[in-house]
């Protein structure tokens, strides 16, 4: 058993920011970060466009960013949360810069601000087209300097330990030696990111299996808004399943246009904002075009843009396209929508507290009320930064009482270990991904959702039979979590009345 003061699960922007701030404030206390892959592997690392922040650029205002966020959320945002998050943006940006994050500047020497769908102004601060990688690098290098932070890579959190609606820590599998460790903590924070792998066709890396939300659900925490899955309109089209390369929305902000194979600029047929309509609308419009034309993809045309400026802003996108035979200067980029983000998750209040005592959540795994039915582009990194700060403020309040529990934590039964057949798991996972794409995608039908619910229940029974004994195989736990998340998405989609934002359901 290992005791720590703060157990943080996940090492993306949310987990790392919180760890760093707490460790700075309490040098005598211990902060443990467990993370299931390498320390830097996360959705954060792949973020391209940037962070939406109101700077002192003429024309922009908090009011406008608040309005854009609320319009995008299609009536379901919590206005108090929106106001709080957007007002805190500049403070978070200042901290990131102090920790060594480099953001691009323009010729005047001020921050270069990109534009993305749903934004009425240019307000996206960025580092080329690799903003997330730069943020992850900067914060992680600060974290690694802290003596009181332990970063345990390849440590997979299996489940939370709770007693009487209070979280006491977590069971964690050390993937290197296959030992399960019991961590006890005064406070446990879930910062486990997204769920993309559930759909197979996603912009997320394979670590995004919804583990934190599933663990919180098993601990009886409140989970909300799971039906609001965001599909990014422009992932690079290729026939393979698995993570897809993103073509940032900032490329359309830079002037690129969507066209059909025949060259039609179709977005104005759907929305007066054209290519820069909010993400839900652009993805839904592409879906409609593809079902009309029966084409496999639509195209992003950058051929009219200043290529030198383009390559300077989007070097990674330019190179990646070149590697697959697309010369952006001459060719249109083939693109399709792909799963990108989950707007719902573990319900938290404005201090990041979940409904389970001593358990907090921040970043993509949480549901704060900021995004409503559809997230505004580049508001996710912002939300993660603001909420890790909110949790920090709560945990460093001098009046905060640390209640000790007398509960005797059950030890993990070490003798009951087995490796489940990996081929069997892979087959089931592929079937699950197919089911989610077909039955819980951009457009959903009531009967498909009901069928999916039944199928998921069957798989749950099947996997329970084969997996009764304690496993040392993380794919088994990931698959269980994916099943739980799929069921939550499907059930909450069935329950949702009325279409809004990224959610469209028809009776059939
Ligand atoms: P993550 O960064 O995903 O980190 C989660 C961490 O939890 C990882 O370290 C993971 O290994 C760990 N973990 C998960 N499960 C377990 C477990 N069981 N045990 C131990 N560890 C676990 N947002 C923007 O605002 N602007 C953008 O420009 C932008 N671009 C994007 C581009 C791409 C391609 C993608 C995929 C996302 C983008 N997003 C963007 C969304 C944004 O990057 C994410 O929502 C955000 O980074 C999430 O941060 P996080 O810290 O919550 O989670
Ligand atoms: C992008 O660069 O298009 C992604 C931005 C986001 O997810 O907010």
């Amino acid at each position: 058993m290992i005791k720590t003061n703060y157990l943080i699960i996940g090492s993306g922007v949310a987990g790392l920011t919180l760890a760093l701030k707490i460790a700075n404030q309490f040098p005598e206390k211990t902060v443990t970060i467990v993370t299931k892959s390498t320390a830097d592997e996360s959705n954060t690392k792949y973020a391209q466009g940037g962070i939406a922040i109101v700077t002192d650029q003429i024309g922009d205002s908090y009011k406008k960013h608040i309005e854009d966020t609320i319009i995008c959320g299609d009536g379901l945002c919590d206005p108090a949360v929106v106001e709080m998050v957007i007002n805190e943006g500049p403070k978070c940006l200042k901290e990131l810069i102090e920790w060594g994050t480099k953001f691009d500047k323009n010729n005047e020497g001020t921050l270069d601000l990109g534009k993305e769908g749903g934004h009425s102004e240019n307000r996206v601060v960025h580092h080329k087209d690799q903003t997330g990688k730069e943020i992850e690098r900067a914060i992680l290098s600060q974290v690694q300097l802290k003596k009181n932070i332990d970063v345990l890579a390849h440590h997979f959190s299996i489940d939370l330990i709770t007693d009487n609606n209070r979280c006491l820590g977590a069971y964690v599998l050390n993937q290197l030696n296959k030992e399960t460790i019991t961590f006890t903590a005064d406070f446990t924070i879930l910062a486990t990111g997204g769920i993309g792998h559930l759909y197979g066709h996603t912009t997320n890396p394979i670590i995004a299996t919804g583990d934190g939300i599933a663990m919180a659900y098993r601990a009886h925490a409140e989970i909300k808004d799971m039906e609001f899955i965001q599909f990014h309109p422009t992932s690079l089209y290729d026939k393979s399943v698995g993570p897809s390369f993103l073509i940032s929305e900032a490329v359309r902000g830079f002037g690129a246009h969507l066209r059909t194979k025949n060259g039609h600029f179709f977005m104005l047929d759907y929305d007066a904002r054209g290519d820069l309509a909010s993400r839900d609308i652009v993805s839904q419009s592409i879906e409609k075009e593809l079902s009309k034309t029966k084409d496999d993809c639509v195209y992003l045309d950058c051929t009219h843009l200043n290529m030198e400026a383009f390559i300077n802003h989007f070097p990674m996108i330019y190179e990646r396209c070149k590697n697959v035979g697309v010369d952006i200067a001459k060719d249109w980029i083939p693109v399709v929508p792909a799963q990108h983000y989950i707007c719902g998750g573990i319900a938290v209040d404005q201090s990041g507290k979940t409904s389970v005592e001593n358990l907090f959540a921040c970043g993509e795994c949480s549901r704060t009320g900021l995004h409503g039915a559809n997230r505004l582009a580049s508001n996710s990194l912002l939300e993660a930064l603001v909420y890790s700060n909110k949790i920090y403020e709560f945990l460093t309040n001098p009046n905060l009482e640390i209640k000790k529990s007398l509960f005797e934590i059950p030890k993990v039964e070490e003798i009951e270990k087995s490796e489940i057949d990996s081929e069997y798991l892979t087959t089931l996972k592929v079937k699950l991904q197919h089911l989610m794409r077909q039955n819980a995608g951009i457009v959903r039908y009531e009967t498909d959702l009901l069928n999916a619910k039944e199928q998921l229940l069957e798989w749950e029974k099947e996997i329970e039979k084969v997996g009764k004994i304690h496993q040392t195989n993380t794919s088994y736990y990931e698959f269980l979590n994916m099943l739980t998340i799929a069921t939550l998405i499907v059930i909450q989609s069935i329950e949702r009345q009325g279409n809004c934002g990224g959610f469209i359901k028809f009776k059939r």
Side-chain angles (χ1 to χ4, degrees):
M1 194 175 298
I2 300 181
K3 272 190 182 175
T4 181
N5 295 112
Y6 304 92
L7 176 64
I8 298 178
I9 306 174
S11 57
V13 61
L16 291 180
T17 303
L18 179 60
L20 182 60
K21 298 190 90 164
I22 291 184
N24 275 332
Q25 179 71 17
F26 296 130
E28 75 292 357
K29 295 202 177 179
T30 54
V31 180
T32 304
I33 303 177
V34 294
T35 191
K36 70 176 178 181
S37 180
T38 52
D40 68 339
E41 187 59 350
S42 55
N43 275 4
T44 301
K45 187 173 148 186
Y46 300 91
Q48 293 186 3
I51 319 175
I53 291 186
V54 178
T55 57
D56 43 18
Q57 157 155 314
I58 298 163
D60 202 7
S61 66
Y62 293 112
K63 189 166 170 277
K64 283 187 180 173
H65 190 183
I66 290 168
E67 270 167 18
D68 292 346
T69 302
I70 288 176
I71 292 170
C72 206
D74 209 6
L76 291 191
C77 300
D78 178 337
V81 167
V82 176
E83 199 177 324
M84 182 276 280
V85 171
I86 283 158
N87 288 339
E88 300 244 332
K91 192 169 99 188
C92 296
L93 177 65
K94 186 168 170 276
E95 274 176 344
L96 278 179
I97 293 171
E98 280 165 10
W99 294 331
T101 318
K102 305 261 185 295
F103 291 103
D104 290 356
K105 301 245 174 91
N106 55 29
N107 292 340
E108 286 84 55
T110 57
L111 285 168
D112 183 55
L113 302 174
K115 195 167 186 189
E116 294 181 37
H119 286 277
S120 54
E121 294 291 338
N122 283 49
R123 63 167 73 95
V124 181
V125 298
H126 63 96
H127 177 95
K128 306 281 178 198
D129 51 2
Q130 293 171 70
T131 310
K133 193 171 174 193
E134 172 60 10
I135 292 174
E136 187 74 18
R137 178 204 63 74
I139 316 181
L140 192 56
S141 59
Q142 292 292 322
V143 161
Q144 279 158 347
L145 295 175
K146 292 275 142 205
K147 288 206 171 63
N148 56 336
I149 305 181
D150 227 353
V151 183
L152 302 176
H154 303 289
H155 278 61
F156 181 94
S157 176
I158 301 170
D159 243 328
L160 298 168
I161 305 166
T162 53
D163 171 44
N164 224 352
N165 199 41
R166 184 184 305 169
C167 185
L168 308 173
Y171 295 116
V172 174
L173 178 67
N174 176 343
Q175 292 161 271
L176 304 172
N177 65 10
K178 307 276 185 194
E179 291 302 326
T180 304
I181 310 165
T182 303
F183 276 96
T184 63
D186 297 332
F187 301 100
T188 303
I189 299 95
L190 290 166
T192 47
I195 60 118
H197 203 46
L198 218 80
Y199 281 81
H201 184 240
T202 175
T203 62
N204 296 187
I206 57 165
I207 49 111
T209 52
D211 302 343
I213 305 175
M215 281 187 270
Y217 176 73
R218 288 192 289 272
H220 307 293
E222 191 186 4
I223 310 291
K224 278 172 91 171
D225 290 353
M226 295 293 283
E227 64 276 32
F228 296 123
I229 305 293
Q230 182 166 78
F231 294 85
H232 197 292
T234 57
S235 76
L236 183 62
Y237 171 69
D238 74 53
K239 288 200 169 81
S240 64
V241 182
S244 315
F245 182 74
L246 180 75
I247 307 292
S248 174
E249 206 158 283
V251 171
R252 272 175 285 134
F254 196 79
H257 301 299
L258 283 162
R259 316 180 74 150
T260 59
K261 194 160 118 188
N262 294 334
H264 179 52
F265 296 107
F266 59 90
M267 269 317 298
L268 279 171
D269 302 344
Y270 295 95
D271 194 289
R273 293 168 294 178
D275 294 304
L276 286 176
S278 55
R279 211 168 265 180
D280 51 343
I281 292 170
V282 182
S283 290
Q284 289 159 11
S285 308
I286 295 176
E287 182 97 342
K288 282 183 197 150
E289 283 298 314
L290 294 181
S291 74
K292 243 183 359 200
T293 59
K294 307 287 175 227
D295 290 337
D296 292 330
C297 60
V298 292
Y299 295 86
L300 195 57
D301 179 2
C302 306
T303 54
H304 55 291
L305 299 174
N306 174 332
M307 262 311 121
E308 200 186 325
F310 185 96
I311 295 168
N312 187 39
H313 190 150
F314 304 106
M316 177 176 68
I317 292 174
Y318 179 81
E319 273 305 311
R320 179 59 176 259
C321 287
K322 200 165 111 190
N323 290 342
V324 294
V326 177
D327 176 354
I328 291 180
K330 291 194 275 184
D331 308 322
W332 300 345
I333 311 170
V335 290
V336 280
Q339 192 286 344
H340 183 62
Y341 185 81
I342 183 156
C343 298
I346 309 159
V348 294
D349 69 6
Q350 280 200 30
S351 297
K353 281 193 285 169
T354 71
S355 58
V356 175
E357 220 182 313
N358 292 354
L359 179 67
F360 297 75
C362 50
E364 190 166 340
C365 68
S366 67
R367 182 273 183 198
T368 63
L370 176 68
H371 310 308
N374 176 51
R375 170 173 72 88
L376 179 66
S378 288
N379 265 358
S380 170
L381 293 170
L382 174 65
E383 181 194 49
L385 289 163
V386 170
Y387 270 83
S388 46
N389 185 53
K390 286 282 147 190
I391 298 175
Y392 159 77
E393 283 173 356
F394 182 87
L395 292 178
T396 51
N397 180 338
N399 298 323
L400 180 70
E401 212 188 311
I402 302 179
K403 295 182 198 149
K404 293 283 171 204
S405 166
L406 299 174
F407 179 70
E408 201 166 316
I409 294 171
K411 270 192 77 183
V412 179
E413 202 47 84
E414 290 294 352
I415 39 168
E416 288 187 292
K417 280 186 176 172
S418 82
E419 282 289 351
I420 204 161
D421 178 10
S422 67
E423 220 171 284
Y424 165 76
L425 268 183
T426 308
T427 311
L428 266 190
K429 194 170 75 184
V430 171
K431 283 188 190 168
L432 171 67
Q433 291 170 332
H434 182 76
L435 181 79
M436 290 307 283
R437 285 200 299 277
Q438 292 299 313
N439 295 31
I442 297 181
V443 178
R444 298 172 208 173
Y445 294 92
E446 188 89 18
T447 39
D448 290 349
L449 289 165
L450 291 167
N451 290 339
K453 187 178 158 194
E454 245 176 65
Q455 178 63 77
L456 290 166
L457 219 72
E458 255 174 52
W459 284 334
E460 208 174 293
K461 281 189 210 141
E462 185 179 328
I463 191 92
E464 253 176 33
K465 261 188 257 155
V466 289
K468 270 245 167 343
I469 45 176
H470 173 66
Q471 297 292 329
T472 53
N473 181 336
T474 51
S475 333
Y476 168 77
Y477 293 117
E478 282 182 338
F479 183 71
L480 275 191
N481 292 335
M482 286 163 73
L483 268 184
T484 303
I485 300 298
T487 308
L488 286 166
I489 292 171
V490 165
I491 288 179
Q492 296 191 5
S493 297
I494 293 168
E495 286 167 356
R496 166 69 50 191
Q497 299 299 320
N499 292 342
C500 53
F503 182 80
I504 322 181
K505 180 175 70 176
F506 296 114
K507 297 254 175 238
R508 190 170 63 185

